[in-house]
C-alpha cells in the first residue's frame, strides 16, 4: 500500500531509506531530523479527508451499528491527525523559527522526535480510509485496510522511537519551563489560543493512546459483524496485527526503560566499585523496580521514621537506593544538572546477592523460616481457622510489635480463663455470675477479640514487605542479619515483590542458567524476563510400580483458605494435579499431587483397572438462578478417566474423598482415546472411529446416561476432540468432522492435512483459530474456527535444530496454549514456546519463540496447565475496605434501572489493552503536566498529573484506555499459572555430552510470574 513515488506527484508517500540512524538522533548526536524516512506531503485539496455519506434506507440493525462504528473510526482518525498537525504547526515550527531561540534545534528535535513520520503514516492511512468509506455501502469491509496499513515494520519503528523517547521529551519540556520564562509564556499563549485549551502534553500523549483506541473500535466492529460476513476474518486478522504491534511496543519500551534505569543506577556508584562493574557488564536484567517506603518501628510498635527508597530487583541481586533530589546547590542556586531527563539520581544504600535475601512473613519464626517450605508454616491467616487453644502455642513475632503484644496478651488471658473454666466445672454449689455459661461466654468473647486482632495483623501484612538481609559479622566473626521493612503502595505490589523474589532465586539455579534458547540471528539474545522458569522436577509413579507410562494430567483447582497472603505468591496454583498412566495390557495408576506449596507433594495414589489414556476435569456447575423446591445440590467438580479397556470412570475431587462416582463402558469396549465435556454431554473419542456422547444429568448427583449416542466419524481412531461454543470437532485420520454440540448432527468434514497418513493427534483453540498437530511430519497447522480456512503452517523442526542439530525428523506429541504462549512438546523430549496473540483475533505465530534447554529423555507425553485465581478481597488494601470498594463504584453514570450482573472474566480482560511504562515526571520541580489547564490557584506540588493518562506512582505499569473508566481502578484478579510436562526422565539439552539415562516417568513444572 505504501510505495515510493516520483517527487512532486502530489500524493503522500512514505519509505524507509537504508541509512536509518534513529538511535543516534534520539540521543541527540545528530542535528539532522531526517533519520532514514523520506519526507512527503499530503495535499488536502487532492485528498480530502474521509466523509461518510448519508445512511441509506433498509439497513439491518447490525448494519446501522457497524456504520456508526465506522463513523467513530473516521472521526477519531481525523481528530488524531489534526492533533499531530497542531503539534507541528503550532509548537514545533514556531519554536524552530523563533529568534532568539528559547529551545535549541537539537532539543526541539528531541522533544518532537518522530512526530512527522507518525503524521505521514496516518496521512497515508487516511487516504486509503477515504476510498474505503466512499464504497462502504457496497462492500462493508474495513479489516483488510488495517492489516495492510499497520503490518509494516516502519510503523513499529516510528512508534517505538516515539514511545521510548516520551519521558525524555516531557522532562526537557519541564526543564525548559523552569529555566526559560519565554518558553513557558509561549506554551501558555498557544494553549489559550486553542479552542479546546488542550496542553502540549495533552496533545503529545495521543500517539501513546492510538493503538488501544483502534483495538477497542475494531473489537466493537467485530462484535457486530455476523459469522459468514466478508469482513469478519479480516477484522480478526487486523486485531492480531494491532495486538502484535502493541506487544512489540511494550517489549521495546520495557527494554529501553531497563537500560535507562540500570544506567541511572550505575551513575550513582563510583567507577571502581564491584557493583558498578556488575551493572556495566550487560549481564544484569532489571526484573522489578519501585519506590517503596522504608519504615522503622519502636519497641512499643510506634512508627519512629519512614523514608522513600528506590528498590531494584535484578536477576541476581537486590539493590536499595536513596532517591537523591538536589535541585538547589550549596549556594542556594537552582541546580539544573540534577534535573536529568531519565529520572532521579540515586545513592546506593545497600546491595545484596539474591540467594541471601529472605522474605519473613507475619507470624513466621525468623530462625526457622525457609522460603521453599512456605506452604508448611503457620501464618496469621492459617491460625484464624485453628482452635484458639492451639494458636497460643505458636510464638508470633516480626510485625508491628504492638499488635503482636496485644495478641499474645489475649492468648495468655484465654489460657487463664480456660483454667478458670475447668475449676468452675468442679464447683458443687450454684452461684450467680460464677457458672459454666458465664465462663464459656468469657472464652467466646476472648476468641472473638483474638480473631479481630489476627485480622488486623493479616491486614497490616498486606502492604508490608519484610526482608531479612545479611549484615557485617560481629567481632567474633559470627554472621549477623538485619531486618528491613518496606511499605508497598498496595497489596498487589506486595504480592508482586514476593513472587518475583521467589522466582528470581529459582532462576539462579543451574538448570535455569540459561533455561531457554532464543533462536535469533545472533544466537546471543537472552530469553525475555517473563519467560517460564523451571521450578521443580518431580518423579511420577517411581518406587510404586515398574515401567509405567504417563498418559494424561489435569488440574483440579481448589481454593485454600489456609494459605497465607504471601504463601500464595510463592506456591504453585492452588489445587490438585491428577496424573494418570499405566502399562499396556496391564493395570493403570493415578497419582494426585497437592500444589498448595512451592514443590508438589503426593497426597493419594491408587490403581485403576486399565491404562489411563486421557483425563477430563469437569468443573462444578453454577447454581440455577431460581432454584425450585425440588432442585438439589449442583454436581461438584469431577475428574473423568478414559481407560484402554473401554471404561470411563468418574471420581469426586480430593476434598470430597476422591470416591468413584460411576463407571461407564464404551460401546464394544473400545479404548477411550480422548474425552471432552459440554454443558449437556460428555464426549468420548473411541478407537473404532466413533464418538460416544453420554448425556449429563442436569440436577442432583453427578450422573451420566447408561447408553451413549454413537456418532461414526470415520474408520480410524478418533484421536482428538475439541469443544467449541456450539460445535464439537472430532478428528479421524487426516479429516476433522464438525458436529453440532446440541443436536449431535454432523455439519461438515474438512481435510486438515494433504497426507492421508498424517492423522490429527491434537487440537487446541485460541481466539478464532485452532492449532493442530499430526502423527507424522514436524509441522503444526492453524485453521479458522468459522470458515475452516487453513491460515498458517509452522515447521517445529526449524526450532529444535538449535538444540539438536541434524535431527530433522521431529514429531509433535503435545500442544497447549496458555496466556499468549503456544507450548509444543516433541518426540525428542524438546519443548518449544511460540508467541500467539491473546485477544479474539487469529492466533497466528508472530515471533521466533524459544526452545527449552530443559526437557525429557523421551517423547513429551502431555502438557497440562494449572491455573488458579486469587480472590479479589485479598487484593484490597485497608483504605479500600474502609471505603467499601469505592474504586469499583467510580463508574461512568448509567441510567437508573435493574443492576446488571458483573461481566464474565473473559469480557473484563478485554478492556485491558496495552501496557506502556511511562516514567512519571513528578520528581522534577515545576508545574505538573496535565491534559487540562491547571485550576486557578492550585499549588503545583499538590496538583495531580492526569490519572486518565497515567497513574502517578513512580514508574507505574499503565494500562492506557480510550474510554471513561474508574480512575486508576485496581485490577480485581491475579492469575497464578504453572505448566506441567510429563515424559520419560529429564534431560538438560544445554549440557555437553550424551543424554542422561533416566527412564523414570518425570514431571517438569514451569512457573511464570503472577499475571498482575
Amino acid at each position: 500500500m505504501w510505495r515510493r513515488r516520483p517527487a512532486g506527484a502530489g500524493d503522500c508517500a512514505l519509505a524507509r531509506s537504508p541509512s536509518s540512524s534513529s538511535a543516534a538522533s534520539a540521543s541527540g548526536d545528530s542535528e539532522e531530523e531526517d533519520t532514514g524516512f523520506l519526507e512527503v506531503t499530503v495535499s488536502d485539496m487532492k485528498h480530502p479527508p474521509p466523509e461518510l455519506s448519508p445512511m441509506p434506507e433498509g439497513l439491518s440493525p447490525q448494519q446501522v451499528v457497524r456504520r456508526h462504528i465506522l463513523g467513530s473510526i473516521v472521526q477519531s482518525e481525523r481528530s488524531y491527525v489534526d492533533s499531530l498537525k497542531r503539534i507541528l504547526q503550532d509548537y514545533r515550527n514556531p519554536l524552530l523559527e523563533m529568534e532568539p531561540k528559547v529551545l535549541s534545534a537539537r532539543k526541539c528535535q528531541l522533544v518532537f522526535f518522530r512526530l512527522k513520520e507518525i503524521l505521514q503514516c496516518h496521512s497515508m492511512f487516511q487516504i486509503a480510509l477515504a476510498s474505503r468509506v466512499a464504497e462502504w455501502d457496497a462492500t462493508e469491509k474495513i479489516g483488510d485496510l488495517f492489516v495492510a496499513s499497520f503490518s509494516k515494520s516502519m510503523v513499529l519503528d516510528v512508534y517505538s522511537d516515539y514511545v521510548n523517547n516520551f519521558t525524555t521529551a516531557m522532562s526537557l519540556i519541564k526543564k525548559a519551563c523552569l529555566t526559560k520564562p519565554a518558553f513557558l509564556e509561549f506554551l501558555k499563549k498557544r494553549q489559550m489560543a486553542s479552542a479546546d485549551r488542550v496542553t502540549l502534553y495533552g496533545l503529545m500523549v495521543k500517539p501513546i493512546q492510538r493503538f488501544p483506541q483502534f483495538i477497542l473500535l475494531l473489537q466493537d466492529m467485530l462484535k457486530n459483524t455476523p459469522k459468514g460476513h466478508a469482513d469478519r476474518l479480516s477484522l480478526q486478522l487486523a486485531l492480531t496485527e494491532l495486538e502484535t504491534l502493541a506487544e512489540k511496543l511494550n517489549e521495546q519500551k520495557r527494554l529501553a526503560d531497563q537500560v535507562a534505569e540500570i544506567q541511572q543506577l550505575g551513575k550513582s556508584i563510583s567507577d571502581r566499585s564491584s557493583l558498578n562493574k556488575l551493572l556495566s557488564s550487560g549481564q544484569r536484567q532489571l526484573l522489578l523496580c519501585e519506590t517503596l517506603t522504608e519504615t522503622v518501628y519502636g519497641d512499643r510498635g510506634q512508627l519512629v521514621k519512614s523514608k522513600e527508597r528506590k528498590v531494584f530487583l535484578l536477576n541476581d541481586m537486590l539493590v536499595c537506593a536513596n532517591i537523591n533530589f538536589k535541585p538547589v546547590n550549596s549556594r542556594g542556586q537552582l541546580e539544573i544538572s540534577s534535573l536529568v531527563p531519565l529520572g532521579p539520581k540515586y545513592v546506593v544504600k545497600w546491595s545484596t546477592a539474591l540467594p541471601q535475601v529472605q522474605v519473613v512473613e507475619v507470624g513466621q519464626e525468623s530462625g526457622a523460616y525457609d522460603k521453599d517450605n512456605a506452604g508448611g508454616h503457620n501464618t496469621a491467616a492459617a491460625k484464624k481457622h485453628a482452635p484458639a487453644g492451639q494458636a497460643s502455642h505458636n510464638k508470633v513475632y516480626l510485625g508491628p510489635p504492638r499488635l503482636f503484644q496485644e495478641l499474645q496478651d489475649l492468648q495468655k488471658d484465654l489460657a487463664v480463663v480456660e483454667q478458670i473454666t475447668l475449676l468452675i466445672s468442679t464447683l458443687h454449689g450454684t452461684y450467680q455470675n460464677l457458672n459454666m455459661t458465664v465462663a464459656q461466654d468469657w472464652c467466646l468473647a476472648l476468641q472473638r477479640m483474638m480473631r479481630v486482632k489476627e485480622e488486623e495483623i493479616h491486614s497490616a501484612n498486606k502492604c508490608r514487605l519484610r526482608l531479612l538481609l545479611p549484615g557485617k559479622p560481629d567481632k567474633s566473626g559470627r554472621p549477623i542479619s538485619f531486618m528491613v521493612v518496606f511499605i508497598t503502595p498496595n497489596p498487589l505490589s506486595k504480592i508482586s515483590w514476593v513472587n518475583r523474589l521467589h522466582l528470581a532465586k529459582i532462576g539462579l539455579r543451574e538448570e535455569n542458567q540459561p533455561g531457554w534458547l532464543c533462536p535469533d540471528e545472533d544466537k546471543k539474545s537472552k530469553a525475555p524476563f517473563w519467560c517460564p522458569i523451571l521450578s521443580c522436577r518431580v518423579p511420577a509413579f517411581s518406587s510404586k510400580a515398574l515401567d509405567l507410562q504417563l498418559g494424561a494430567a489435569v488440574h483440579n483447582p481448589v481454593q485454600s483458605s489456609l494459605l497465607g497472603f504471601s504463601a500464595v505468591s510463592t506456591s504453585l496454583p492452588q489445587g490438585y494435579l491428577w496424573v494418570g498412566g499405566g502399562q499396556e495390557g496391564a493395570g493403570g495408576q493415578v497419582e494426585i499431587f497437592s500444589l498448595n506449596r512451592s514443590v508438589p507433594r503426593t497426597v493419594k495414589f491408587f490403581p485403576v483397572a486399565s491404562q489411563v489414556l486421557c483425563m477430563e476435569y469437569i468443573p462444578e456447575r453454577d447454581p440455577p438462578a431460581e432454584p425450585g423446591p425440588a432442585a438439589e445440590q449442583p454436581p461438584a467438580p469431577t475428574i473423568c478417566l478414559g481407560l484402554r479397556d473401554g471404561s470411563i470412570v468418574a471420581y469426586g475431587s480430593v476434598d470430597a474423598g476422591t470416591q468413584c462416582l460411576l463407571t461407564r463402558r464404551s460401546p464394544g469396549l473400545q479404548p477411550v482415546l480422548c474425552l471432552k465435556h459440554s454443558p449437556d454431554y460428555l464426549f468420548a473419542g473411541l478407537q473404532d472411529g466413533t464418538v460416544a456422547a453420554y448425556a449429563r444429568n442436569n440436577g442432583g448427583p453427578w450422573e451420566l446416561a447408561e447408553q451413549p449416542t454413537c456418532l461414526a466419524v470415520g474408520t480410524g481412531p478418533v484421536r482428538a476432540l475439541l469443544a467449541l461454543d456450539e460445535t464439537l470437532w472430532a478428528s479421524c485420520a487426516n479429516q476433522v468432522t464438525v458436529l453440532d454440540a446440541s443436536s449431535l448432527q454432523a455439519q461438515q468434514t474438512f481435510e486438515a492435512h494433504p497426507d492421508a497418513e498424517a492423522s490429527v493427534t491434537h487440537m487446541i483453540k485460541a481466539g478464532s483459530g485452532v492449532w493442530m498437530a499430526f502423527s507424522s511430519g514436524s509441522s503444526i497447522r492453524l485453521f479458522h474456527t468459522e470458515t475452516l480456512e487453513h491460515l498458517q503452517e509452522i515447521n517445529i523442526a526449524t526450532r529444535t535444530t538449535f538444540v539438536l542439530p541434524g535431527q530433522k525428523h521431529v514429531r509433535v506429541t503435545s500442544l497447549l496454549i496458555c496466556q499468549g504462549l503456544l507450548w509444543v512438546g516433541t518426540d525428542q523430549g524438546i519443548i518449544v514456546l511460540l508467541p500467539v496473540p491473546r485477544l479474539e483475533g487469529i492466533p497466528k505465530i508472530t515471533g521466533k519463540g524459544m526452545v527449552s534447554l530443559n526437557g525429557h529423555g523421551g517423547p513429551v507425553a502431555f502438557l497440562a496447565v494449572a491455573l488458579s485465581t486469587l480472590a479479589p478481597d485479598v487484593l484490597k488494601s485497608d483504605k479500600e475496605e474502609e471505603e467499601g470498594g469505592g474504586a469499583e463504584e467510580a463508574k461512568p453514570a448509567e441510567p437508573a434501572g435493574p443492576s446488571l450482573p458483573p461481566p464474565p472474566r473473559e469480557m473484563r480482560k478485554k478492556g485491558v489493552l496495552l501496557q506502556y511504562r511511562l516514567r512519571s515526571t513528578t520528581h522534577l520541580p515545576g508545574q505538573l503536566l496535565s491534559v487540562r489547564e491547571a485550576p486557578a490557584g492550585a499549588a503545583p506540588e499538590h496538583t495531580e498529573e492526569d490519572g486518565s493518562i497515567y497513574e502517578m506512582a513512580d514508574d507505574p505499569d499503565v494500562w492506557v484506555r480510550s474510554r471513561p473508566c474508574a480512575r486508576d481502578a485496581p485490577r480485581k484478579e491475579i492469575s497464578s499459572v504453572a505448566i506441567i510436562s510429563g515424559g520419560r526422565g529429564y534431560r538438560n539439552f544445554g549440557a555437553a555430552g550424551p543424554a542422561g539415562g533416566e527412564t523414570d516417568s518425570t514431571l517438569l513444572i514451569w512457573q511464570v510470574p503472577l499475571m498482575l
Side-chain angles (χ1 to χ4, degrees), residues 618-676:
I618 302 177
E620 91 186 281
R621 288 194 181 169
D622 294 328
E626 297 179 6
E632 298 181 47
Q633 195 67 21
T638 312
I639 288 86
C640 290
L641 314 181
L643 307 185
R644 188 171 286 283
D645 67 0
S647 303
I648 297 172
V649 191
Y651 288 89
S653 66
V654 174
D655 292 350
T658 62
Q659 74 274 24
C660 180
L661 302 176
L662 58 83
T663 303
R664 293 287 177 267
R665 302 281 179 188
S666 67
L669 300 181
Q670 288 291 319
V672 181
L673 304 183
C674 46
L675 289 169
K676 276 289 175 285

Side-chain angles (χ1 to χ4, degrees), residues 98 142 236 760 805 951:
M98 193 179 290
I142 191 77
Q236 289 165 336
V760 179
E951 190 184 67

